[in-house]
Amino acid sequence: MKNTNHSTLLTKNHIGKISDDERFQQQDYLEAIKAFARLTYESVYVINYETMTFEYVSENPLFLCGHSPADVMKLGYEFYFKNVPDNDLTLLNTINEAGFDFFQNLPGEEKIRYSITYDFHLLHRDGKKTLINHKLTPLLLTKEKKMWKAMCIVSISHHKNPGNVFIHKQGSGELWELDLKDKAWRKSTKPKLTRREIEVLQLHAQGLSINEIAAQLSVAPDTVKYYRRQIFDRLNVSTIAGALSYAVNSKLI
């Protein structure tokens, strides 16, 4: 990618000068972000679109690629260009363009209820790649309802390939999937699990084996296997780890 202004490649979201009244909104919000980061295994960071910098980066190692949080904050958007493969950088540009086009067309304060999730690779210093899931949601909006600051969460992806781009609306079953071929959003609804399927997933999350789950539910082990197959089909995954990751990330359990 031959472009000296790297930040323009990864975001269409450019905002003007922030007023004093708007700055008053933020006050000590970063303390809440830091407290959340202490409680989760996931990596947390905050993007400031006014300055095109990272305003906060947690100590959780997954996103750091061997750097310190201070190093990543200093790198800012340059971090992506140092630690994301070229093919995935192209993907991120596509997601950025489509995502902010979608966001721009949402009504006013409604924008704060939406989040986007997608997968891409991070390159580590030893040359290894990790497929991560990246979630982003608005943290603060400007008076013009543009995204001023965004909170991002990074975890291990349960998919095998990058992409898998979805927008979720809080408090609803609505979601939109990005068709990467024609760069269009397709609206659908979140998959639903039955009460018994949710029970099976919750027991798996507690570390129980198939036989232990069968005893807990007073059913045969083959019945538990049937429920697992149903779960895999509904969530379009192939492992129980993938099912648990999908269910937790989608707030199904």
Side-chain angles (χ1 to χ4, degrees):
M1 288 191 163
K2 296 181 180 180
N3 193 320
T4 56
N5 189 359
H6 285 168
S7 64
T8 61
L9 292 175
L10 289 179
T11 184
K12 291 182 65 177
N13 186 48
H14 300 287
I15 60 178
K17 185 176 175 59
I18 301 298
S19 70
D20 290 340
D21 287 344
E22 289 173 303
R23 292 192 191 284
F24 185 74
Q25 294 180 58
Q26 61 180 328
Q27 294 204 22
D28 297 324
Y29 83 94
L30 270 181
E31 295 306 313
I33 300 293
K34 292 174 183 178
F36 172 74
R38 290 195 295 271
L39 294 174
T40 180
Y41 69 92
E42 297 169 311
S43 296
V44 180
Y45 70 107
V46 174
I47 299 174
N48 184 334
Y49 287 104
E50 179 193 16
T51 57
M52 299 307 301
T53 58
F54 296 162
E55 195 163 86
Y56 170 74
V57 176
S58 73
E59 295 180 359
N60 309 46
L62 178 60
F63 181 63
L64 301 179
C65 295
H67 300 282
S68 70
D71 290 339
V72 175
M73 287 183 67
K74 185 176 180 180
L75 284 168
Y77 264 68
E78 189 67 24
F79 171 83
Y80 298 120
F81 291 88
K82 288 181 176 294
N83 296 282
V84 177
D86 287 344
N87 287 344
D88 287 27
L89 278 174
T90 302
L91 170 67
L92 291 184
N93 283 316
T94 298
I95 294 170
N96 168 73
E97 183 169 356
F100 277 109
D101 283 346
F102 184 99
F103 184 78
Q104 183 177 339
N105 292 321
L106 296 174
E109 288 296 335
E110 280 282 298
K111 293 178 177 180
I112 210 77
R113 298 177 59 194
Y114 288 77
S115 60
I116 186 169
T117 176
Y118 46 90
D119 301 323
F120 64 93
H121 287 101
L122 286 178
L123 286 171
H124 299 274
R125 286 178 169 178
D126 60 5
K128 293 181 180 179
K129 293 194 299 185
T130 299
L131 186 64
I132 59 101
N133 176 252
H134 188 277
K135 302 181 189 67
L136 181 150
T137 193
L139 193 58
L140 291 173
L141 302 178
T142 67
K143 286 183 177 179
E144 291 77 26
K145 306 308 176 189
K146 290 188 175 182
M147 196 184 307
W148 175 14
K149 299 184 181 182
M151 181 174 173
C152 305
I153 303 290
V154 177
S155 59
I156 295 291
S157 171
H158 65 268
H159 291 107
K160 294 182 179 179
N161 299 300
N164 313 300
V165 190
F166 294 91
I167 286 178
H168 299 261
K169 182 181 180 183
Q170 181 189 24
S172 81
E174 296 177 314
L175 76 157
W176 293 260
E177 182 176 5
L178 180 63
D179 185 325
L180 291 169
K181 291 183 179 179
D182 61 13
K183 302 179 183 179
W185 293 99
R186 312 294 186 201
K187 188 175 181 180
S188 60
T189 56
K190 280 197 286 190
K192 293 183 179 180
L193 300 177
T194 66
R195 178 182 59 81
R196 183 48 61 92
E197 289 165 354
I198 289 173
E199 287 177 334
V200 169
L201 270 183
Q202 289 173 333
L203 291 170
H204 268 298
Q206 294 173 28
L208 274 64
S209 67
I210 290 176
N211 288 339
E212 290 170 333
I213 293 172
Q216 185 92 358
L217 299 179
S218 300
V219 298
D222 282 347
T223 302
V224 175
K225 293 177 183 177
Y226 167 77
Y227 287 130
R228 282 168 48 111
R229 288 194 298 272
Q230 290 292 100
I231 292 168
F232 293 171
D233 288 343
R234 292 186 199 278
L235 304 186
N236 192 28
V237 298
S238 57
T239 66
I240 196 64
L244 285 169
S245 177
Y246 187 104
V248 169
N249 290 334
S250 301
K251 300 180 181 178
L252 296 177
I253 60 173

mmCIF file of all heavy atoms in Angstrom, residues 20-51:
data_model
loop_
_atom_site.group_PDB
_atom_site.id
_atom_site.type_symbol
_atom_site.label_atom_id
_atom_site.label_comp_id
_atom_site.label_asym_id
_atom_site.label_seq_id
_atom_site.Cartn_x
_atom_site.Cartn_y
_atom_site.Cartn_z
ATOM 1 N N ASP A 20 -15.724 22.743 23.724
ATOM 2 C CA ASP A 20 -15.487 22.570 25.161
ATOM 3 C C ASP A 20 -16.634 21.800 25.814
ATOM 4 O O ASP A 20 -16.419 20.986 26.715
ATOM 5 C CB ASP A 20 -15.323 23.935 25.843
ATOM 6 C CG ASP A 20 -14.013 24.617 25.444
ATOM 7 O OD1 ASP A 20 -13.096 23.909 24.972
ATOM 8 O OD2 ASP A 20 -13.921 25.843 25.615
ATOM 9 N N ASP A 21 -17.867 22.069 25.363
ATOM 10 C CA ASP A 21 -19.018 21.355 25.919
ATOM 11 C C ASP A 21 -18.909 19.862 25.652
ATOM 12 O O ASP A 21 -19.227 19.028 26.516
ATOM 13 C CB ASP A 21 -20.322 21.889 25.312
ATOM 14 C CG ASP A 21 -20.674 23.268 25.843
ATOM 15 O OD1 ASP A 21 -20.086 23.654 26.880
ATOM 16 O OD2 ASP A 21 -21.522 23.944 25.236
ATOM 17 N N GLU A 22 -18.471 19.504 24.448
ATOM 18 C CA GLU A 22 -18.324 18.091 24.106
ATOM 19 C C GLU A 22 -17.205 17.449 24.927
ATOM 20 O O GLU A 22 -17.329 16.312 25.381
ATOM 21 C CB GLU A 22 -18.039 17.943 22.614
ATOM 22 C CG GLU A 22 -19.243 18.256 21.739
ATOM 23 C CD GLU A 22 -18.884 18.276 20.272
ATOM 24 O OE1 GLU A 22 -17.987 19.051 19.891
ATOM 25 O OE2 GLU A 22 -19.499 17.529 19.506
ATOM 26 N N ARG A 23 -16.117 18.179 25.128
ATOM 27 C CA ARG A 23 -15.023 17.629 25.916
ATOM 28 C C ARG A 23 -15.458 17.363 27.354
ATOM 29 O O ARG A 23 -14.947 16.456 28.015
ATOM 30 C CB ARG A 23 -13.830 18.578 25.902
ATOM 31 C CG ARG A 23 -13.176 18.680 24.535
ATOM 32 C CD ARG A 23 -11.838 19.393 24.597
ATOM 33 N NE ARG A 23 -11.398 19.689 23.247
ATOM 34 C CZ ARG A 23 -10.894 18.793 22.403
ATOM 35 N NH1 ARG A 23 -10.769 17.534 22.795
ATOM 36 N NH2 ARG A 23 -10.535 19.140 21.189
ATOM 37 N N PHE A 24 -16.411 18.142 27.832
ATOM 38 C CA PHE A 24 -16.893 17.960 29.198
ATOM 39 C C PHE A 24 -17.572 16.609 29.362
ATOM 40 O O PHE A 24 -17.614 16.056 30.457
ATOM 41 C CB PHE A 24 -17.875 19.081 29.570
ATOM 42 C CG PHE A 24 -18.326 19.025 30.999
ATOM 43 C CD1 PHE A 24 -17.474 19.405 32.026
ATOM 44 C CD2 PHE A 24 -19.601 18.578 31.338
ATOM 45 C CE1 PHE A 24 -17.878 19.359 33.346
ATOM 46 C CE2 PHE A 24 -20.016 18.519 32.658
ATOM 47 C CZ PHE A 24 -19.148 18.915 33.666
ATOM 48 N N GLN A 25 -18.088 16.050 28.231
ATOM 49 C CA GLN A 25 -18.737 14.735 28.276
ATOM 50 C C GLN A 25 -17.815 13.661 28.818
ATOM 51 O O GLN A 25 -18.227 12.774 29.562
ATOM 52 C CB GLN A 25 -19.150 14.272 26.872
ATOM 53 C CG GLN A 25 -20.210 15.050 26.172
ATOM 54 C CD GLN A 25 -20.449 14.401 24.813
ATOM 55 O OE1 GLN A 25 -20.789 13.226 24.718
ATOM 56 N NE2 GLN A 25 -20.261 15.153 23.757
ATOM 57 N N GLN A 26 -16.536 13.734 28.413
ATOM 58 C CA GLN A 26 -15.651 12.606 28.663
ATOM 59 C C GLN A 26 -15.179 12.529 30.108
ATOM 60 O O GLN A 26 -15.044 11.443 30.658
ATOM 61 C CB GLN A 26 -14.454 12.647 27.720
ATOM 62 C CG GLN A 26 -13.585 13.873 27.857
ATOM 63 C CD GLN A 26 -12.425 13.827 26.879
ATOM 64 O OE1 GLN A 26 -11.907 12.768 26.537
ATOM 65 N NE2 GLN A 26 -12.014 14.983 26.409
ATOM 66 N N GLN A 27 -14.940 13.644 30.747
ATOM 67 C CA GLN A 27 -14.488 13.691 32.133
ATOM 68 C C GLN A 27 -13.582 12.501 32.483
ATOM 69 O O GLN A 27 -12.518 12.343 31.930
ATOM 70 C CB GLN A 27 -15.697 13.792 33.062
ATOM 71 C CG GLN A 27 -16.425 15.116 32.870
ATOM 72 C CD GLN A 27 -17.220 15.537 34.081
ATOM 73 O OE1 GLN A 27 -16.986 15.119 35.193
ATOM 74 N NE2 GLN A 27 -18.175 16.397 33.864
ATOM 75 N N ASP A 28 -14.020 11.629 33.367
ATOM 76 C CA ASP A 28 -13.160 10.534 33.822
ATOM 77 C C ASP A 28 -13.575 9.185 33.240
ATOM 78 O O ASP A 28 -13.406 8.148 33.878
ATOM 79 C CB ASP A 28 -13.175 10.457 35.355
ATOM 80 C CG ASP A 28 -12.604 11.710 35.998
ATOM 81 O OD1 ASP A 28 -11.656 12.275 35.434
ATOM 82 O OD2 ASP A 28 -13.108 12.102 37.060
ATOM 83 N N TYR A 29 -14.102 9.187 32.025
ATOM 84 C CA TYR A 29 -14.619 7.935 31.469
ATOM 85 C C TYR A 29 -13.543 6.863 31.325
ATOM 86 O O TYR A 29 -13.825 5.668 31.392
ATOM 87 C CB TYR A 29 -15.301 8.182 30.117
ATOM 88 C CG TYR A 29 -14.354 8.236 28.950
ATOM 89 C CD1 TYR A 29 -14.092 7.107 28.183
ATOM 90 C CD2 TYR A 29 -13.698 9.421 28.624
ATOM 91 C CE1 TYR A 29 -13.222 7.156 27.128
ATOM 92 C CE2 TYR A 29 -12.820 9.471 27.572
ATOM 93 C CZ TYR A 29 -12.586 8.340 26.820
ATOM 94 O OH TYR A 29 -11.700 8.389 25.781
ATOM 95 N N LEU A 30 -12.289 7.279 31.136
ATOM 96 C CA LEU A 30 -11.230 6.291 30.953
ATOM 97 C C LEU A 30 -11.035 5.426 32.194
ATOM 98 O O LEU A 30 -10.587 4.279 32.091
ATOM 99 C CB LEU A 30 -9.910 6.979 30.604
ATOM 100 C CG LEU A 30 -9.631 7.204 29.111
ATOM 101 C CD1 LEU A 30 -8.280 7.868 28.920
ATOM 102 C CD2 LEU A 30 -9.701 5.898 28.331
ATOM 103 N N GLU A 31 -11.367 5.941 33.363
ATOM 104 C CA GLU A 31 -11.244 5.136 34.576
ATOM 105 C C GLU A 31 -12.190 3.938 34.521
ATOM 106 O O GLU A 31 -11.856 2.843 34.984
ATOM 107 C CB GLU A 31 -11.515 5.989 35.820
ATOM 108 C CG GLU A 31 -10.480 7.084 36.047
ATOM 109 C CD GLU A 31 -9.059 6.551 36.076
ATOM 110 O OE1 GLU A 31 -8.818 5.536 36.769
ATOM 111 O OE2 GLU A 31 -8.195 7.122 35.385
ATOM 112 N N ALA A 32 -13.378 4.148 33.967
ATOM 113 C CA ALA A 32 -14.326 3.038 33.808
ATOM 114 C C ALA A 32 -13.800 2.022 32.806
ATOM 115 O O ALA A 32 -13.942 0.806 32.990
ATOM 116 C CB ALA A 32 -15.685 3.559 33.372
ATOM 117 N N ILE A 33 -13.174 2.492 31.723
ATOM 118 C CA ILE A 33 -12.592 1.591 30.723
ATOM 119 C C ILE A 33 -11.484 0.753 31.354
ATOM 120 O O ILE A 33 -11.389 -0.465 31.147
ATOM 121 C CB ILE A 33 -12.029 2.385 29.532
ATOM 122 C CG1 ILE A 33 -13.128 3.209 28.857
ATOM 123 C CG2 ILE A 33 -11.355 1.447 28.532
ATOM 124 C CD1 ILE A 33 -14.185 2.411 28.177
ATOM 125 N N LYS A 34 -10.640 1.387 32.141
ATOM 126 C CA LYS A 34 -9.538 0.671 32.793
ATOM 127 C C LYS A 34 -10.064 -0.379 33.764
ATOM 128 O O LYS A 34 -9.512 -1.481 33.865
ATOM 129 C CB LYS A 34 -8.636 1.664 33.514
ATOM 130 C CG LYS A 34 -7.863 2.597 32.587
ATOM 131 C CD LYS A 34 -7.092 3.645 33.379
ATOM 132 C CE LYS A 34 -6.386 4.624 32.445
ATOM 133 N NZ LYS A 34 -5.675 5.691 33.208
ATOM 134 N N ALA A 35 -11.134 -0.042 34.475
ATOM 135 C CA ALA A 35 -11.717 -1.012 35.406
ATOM 136 C C ALA A 35 -12.273 -2.209 34.650
ATOM 137 O O ALA A 35 -12.082 -3.369 35.063
ATOM 138 C CB ALA A 35 -12.826 -0.341 36.220
ATOM 139 N N PHE A 36 -12.936 -1.955 33.524
ATOM 140 C CA PHE A 36 -13.450 -3.049 32.705
ATOM 141 C C PHE A 36 -12.312 -3.931 32.205
ATOM 142 O O PHE A 36 -12.399 -5.170 32.233
ATOM 143 C CB PHE A 36 -14.233 -2.489 31.523
ATOM 144 C CG PHE A 36 -14.636 -3.528 30.515
ATOM 145 C CD1 PHE A 36 -15.658 -4.417 30.780
ATOM 146 C CD2 PHE A 36 -13.980 -3.641 29.295
ATOM 147 C CE1 PHE A 36 -16.027 -5.398 29.862
ATOM 148 C CE2 PHE A 36 -14.324 -4.601 28.373
ATOM 149 C CZ PHE A 36 -15.356 -5.487 28.661
ATOM 150 N N ALA A 37 -11.211 -3.320 31.767
ATOM 151 C CA ALA A 37 -10.070 -4.069 31.241
ATOM 152 C C ALA A 37 -9.461 -4.984 32.307
ATOM 153 O O ALA A 37 -8.954 -6.059 31.993
ATOM 154 C CB ALA A 37 -9.018 -3.116 30.695
ATOM 155 N N ARG A 38 -9.539 -4.558 33.564
ATOM 156 C CA ARG A 38 -8.993 -5.391 34.637
ATOM 157 C C ARG A 38 -9.832 -6.640 34.865
ATOM 158 O O ARG A 38 -9.345 -7.633 35.417
ATOM 159 C CB ARG A 38 -8.916 -4.588 35.943
ATOM 160 C CG ARG A 38 -7.864 -3.489 35.940
ATOM 161 C CD ARG A 38 -7.585 -2.980 37.342
ATOM 162 N NE ARG A 38 -8.723 -2.319 37.952
ATOM 163 C CZ ARG A 38 -8.998 -1.017 37.846
ATOM 164 N NH1 ARG A 38 -8.191 -0.231 37.130
ATOM 165 N NH2 ARG A 38 -10.042 -0.492 38.444
ATOM 166 N N LEU A 39 -11.088 -6.596 34.439
ATOM 167 C CA LEU A 39 -12.007 -7.694 34.724
ATOM 168 C C LEU A 39 -12.174 -8.679 33.575
ATOM 169 O O LEU A 39 -12.794 -9.723 33.740
ATOM 170 C CB LEU A 39 -13.394 -7.125 35.085
ATOM 171 C CG LEU A 39 -13.477 -6.327 36.387
ATOM 172 C CD1 LEU A 39 -14.857 -5.711 36.534
ATOM 173 C CD2 LEU A 39 -13.160 -7.210 37.581
ATOM 174 N N THR A 40 -11.638 -8.367 32.406
ATOM 175 C CA THR A 40 -11.848 -9.232 31.251
ATOM 176 C C THR A 40 -10.523 -9.795 30.746
ATOM 177 O O THR A 40 -9.465 -9.165 30.884
ATOM 178 C CB THR A 40 -12.552 -8.470 30.109
ATOM 179 O OG1 THR A 40 -12.739 -9.353 28.988
ATOM 180 C CG2 THR A 40 -11.733 -7.264 29.637
ATOM 181 N N TYR A 41 -10.593 -10.993 30.156
ATOM 182 C CA TYR A 41 -9.408 -11.595 29.547
ATOM 183 C C TYR A 41 -9.140 -10.983 28.179
ATOM 184 O O TYR A 41 -8.053 -11.153 27.613
ATOM 185 C CB TYR A 41 -9.613 -13.105 29.383
ATOM 186 C CG TYR A 41 -10.653 -13.465 28.340
ATOM 187 C CD1 TYR A 41 -10.285 -13.709 27.009
ATOM 188 C CD2 TYR A 41 -11.999 -13.529 28.665
ATOM 189 C CE1 TYR A 41 -11.223 -14.012 26.051
ATOM 190 C CE2 TYR A 41 -12.952 -13.831 27.710
ATOM 191 C CZ TYR A 41 -12.561 -14.080 26.414
ATOM 192 O OH TYR A 41 -13.520 -14.358 25.467
ATOM 193 N N GLU A 42 -10.104 -10.263 27.627
ATOM 194 C CA GLU A 42 -9.973 -9.710 26.286
ATOM 195 C C GLU A 42 -9.121 -8.446 26.305
ATOM 196 O O GLU A 42 -8.980 -7.778 27.331
ATOM 197 C CB GLU A 42 -11.357 -9.393 25.723
ATOM 198 C CG GLU A 42 -12.233 -10.626 25.557
ATOM 199 C CD GLU A 42 -13.681 -10.274 25.255
ATOM 200 O OE1 GLU A 42 -14.243 -9.429 25.972
ATOM 201 O OE2 GLU A 42 -14.239 -10.856 24.309
ATOM 202 N N SER A 43 -8.534 -8.120 25.158
ATOM 203 C CA SER A 43 -7.774 -6.881 25.015
ATOM 204 C C SER A 43 -8.734 -5.735 24.738
ATOM 205 O O SER A 43 -9.697 -5.884 23.985
ATOM 206 C CB SER A 43 -6.762 -6.998 23.870
ATOM 207 O OG SER A 43 -5.797 -7.992 24.149
ATOM 208 N N VAL A 44 -8.451 -4.596 25.344
ATOM 209 C CA VAL A 44 -9.334 -3.434 25.240
ATOM 210 C C VAL A 44 -8.512 -2.229 24.785
ATOM 211 O O VAL A 44 -7.394 -2.022 25.271
ATOM 212 C CB VAL A 44 -9.982 -3.108 26.610
ATOM 213 C CG1 VAL A 44 -10.902 -1.892 26.500
ATOM 214 C CG2 VAL A 44 -10.735 -4.315 27.151
ATOM 215 N N TYR A 45 -9.028 -1.457 23.837
ATOM 216 C CA TYR A 45 -8.380 -0.193 23.523
ATOM 217 C C TYR A 45 -9.419 0.815 23.032
ATOM 218 O O TYR A 45 -10.554 0.456 22.691
ATOM 219 C CB TYR A 45 -7.241 -0.368 22.526
ATOM 220 C CG TYR A 45 -7.585 -0.722 21.095
ATOM 221 C CD1 TYR A 45 -7.472 0.222 20.077
ATOM 222 C CD2 TYR A 45 -7.960 -2.018 20.741
ATOM 223 C CE1 TYR A 45 -7.738 -0.100 18.752
ATOM 224 C CE2 TYR A 45 -8.224 -2.351 19.431
ATOM 225 C CZ TYR A 45 -8.115 -1.388 18.429
ATOM 226 O OH TYR A 45 -8.387 -1.721 17.127
ATOM 227 N N VAL A 46 -9.042 2.088 23.041
ATOM 228 C CA VAL A 46 -9.947 3.178 22.687
ATOM 229 C C VAL A 46 -9.324 3.974 21.552
ATOM 230 O O VAL A 46 -8.153 4.374 21.625
ATOM 231 C CB VAL A 46 -10.209 4.103 23.897
ATOM 232 C CG1 VAL A 46 -11.028 5.324 23.472
ATOM 233 C CG2 VAL A 46 -10.934 3.340 25.003
ATOM 234 N N ILE A 47 -10.112 4.208 20.501
ATOM 235 C CA ILE A 47 -9.684 5.026 19.369
ATOM 236 C C ILE A 47 -10.276 6.421 19.510
ATOM 237 O O ILE A 47 -11.471 6.580 19.769
ATOM 238 C CB ILE A 47 -10.147 4.428 18.023
ATOM 239 C CG1 ILE A 47 -9.540 3.039 17.808
ATOM 240 C CG2 ILE A 47 -9.744 5.346 16.862
ATOM 241 C CD1 ILE A 47 -10.081 2.336 16.570
ATOM 242 N N ASN A 48 -9.439 7.450 19.326
ATOM 243 C CA ASN A 48 -9.886 8.834 19.289
ATOM 244 C C ASN A 48 -9.829 9.295 17.835
ATOM 245 O O ASN A 48 -8.743 9.459 17.272
ATOM 246 C CB ASN A 48 -8.980 9.702 20.164
ATOM 247 C CG ASN A 48 -9.452 11.154 20.253
ATOM 248 O OD1 ASN A 48 -10.123 11.651 19.357
ATOM 249 N ND2 ASN A 48 -9.088 11.828 21.334
ATOM 250 N N TYR A 49 -10.999 9.506 17.216
ATOM 251 C CA TYR A 49 -11.037 9.865 15.797
ATOM 252 C C TYR A 49 -10.742 11.338 15.554
ATOM 253 O O TYR A 49 -10.533 11.742 14.415
ATOM 254 C CB TYR A 49 -12.395 9.494 15.194
ATOM 255 C CG TYR A 49 -12.569 8.005 15.005
ATOM 256 C CD1 TYR A 49 -13.366 7.263 15.880
ATOM 257 C CD2 TYR A 49 -11.927 7.342 13.981
ATOM 258 C CE1 TYR A 49 -13.525 5.897 15.711
ATOM 259 C CE2 TYR A 49 -12.079 5.973 13.804
ATOM 260 C CZ TYR A 49 -12.871 5.257 14.680
ATOM 261 O OH TYR A 49 -13.020 3.897 14.521
ATOM 262 N N GLU A 50 -10.720 12.137 16.607
ATOM 263 C CA GLU A 50 -10.329 13.537 16.445
ATOM 264 C C GLU A 50 -8.837 13.627 16.165
ATOM 265 O O GLU A 50 -8.393 14.345 15.269
ATOM 266 C CB GLU A 50 -10.664 14.333 17.704
ATOM 267 C CG GLU A 50 -10.247 15.803 17.596
ATOM 268 C CD GLU A 50 -10.290 16.535 18.929
ATOM 269 O OE1 GLU A 50 -10.350 15.867 19.980
ATOM 270 O OE2 GLU A 50 -10.235 17.772 18.912
ATOM 271 N N THR A 51 -8.062 12.876 16.934
ATOM 272 C CA THR A 51 -6.605 12.917 16.809
ATOM 273 C C THR A 51 -6.032 11.738 16.030
ATOM 274 O O THR A 51 -4.833 11.693 15.764
ATOM 275 C CB THR A 51 -5.966 12.938 18.217
ATOM 276 O OG1 THR A 51 -6.413 11.774 18.946
ATOM 277 C CG2 THR A 51 -6.386 14.193 18.976
#
